[in-house]
Amino acid sequence: QVHLVESGGGLVQPGGSLRLSCAGSGSRFSFAAMAWYRQAPGRQRELVASITTVGTTNYDDSVKGRFTISRDNAKKTMYLQMNSLKPEDTAVYYCNTRFSPGTMYYWGQGTQVTVSS
C-alpha cells in the first residue's frame, strides 16, 4: 500500500528550529507535486508549503522566509526546514500531494510541532 510517514516534530522554544521529514514508498512519489499541511486545535487544515516534481516551491505568507520545503526524489523523501518558529506555528503537520490530497496518499497521523516557552 502506498503510504507516507511524517517525523521530526517536537517541542521547541520560540525562535528555535525543527526539520520535518516525509518518507514515501512505491514508484509514484516522483510524479506528484507535494505539500506540507498543518492543523491547529480548533482550526481547519491549511496549506503551508508546496513543491513541484522538479523543485519549484511556494509558501503560505505566514511562513515565507522562515520555512524551506525540499524533496529528494531518489530517496522518495520530502522535508520541511522550520526556522524562527513562533507559537502560532503550533500544529500537527501532515504531508500529502499538493493536488487532490488524500487521494494518492491517505491522510496519516502527522507529526506534532509545539512552539512554547
Side-chain angles (χ1 to χ4, degrees):
Q1 180 178 344
V2 176
H3 64 278
L4 299 170
V5 179
E6 300 100 339
S7 63
L11 174 64
V12 65
Q13 293 183 329
S17 298
L18 286 172
R19 187 177 72 169
L20 308 184
S21 296
C22 171
S25 64
S27 62
R28 304 161 75 180
F29 180 89
S30 63
F31 295 101
M34 299 293 294
W36 285 97
Y37 304 83
R38 67 186 180 188
Q39 186 168 24
R43 301 286 301 277
Q44 294 185 356
R45 181 178 286 136
E46 64 181 4
L47 177 67
V48 177
S50 63
I51 184 167
T52 70
T53 57
V54 295
T56 302
T57 60
N58 197 13
Y59 300 91
D60 183 78
D61 287 341
S62 66
V63 306
K64 196 171 299 181
R66 300 188 297 119
F67 291 10
T68 302
I69 188 173
S70 61
R71 69 191 295 167
D72 185 334
N73 287 335
K75 296 182 178 179
K76 300 176 182 178
T77 304
M78 182 174 65
Y79 307 94
L80 185 67
Q81 178 66 48
M82 305 185 295
N83 299 325
S84 302
L85 283 162
K86 304 175 180 179
E88 50 263 46
D89 295 319
T90 296
V92 178
Y93 284 70
Y94 304 89
C95 58
N96 216 295
T97 56
R98 169 61 181 85
F99 304 102
S100 300
T103 301
M104 180 178 291
Y105 302 105
Y106 295 122
W107 290 106
Q109 292 185 333
T111 185
Q112 176 71 51
V113 172
T114 302
V115 185
S116 177
S117 59

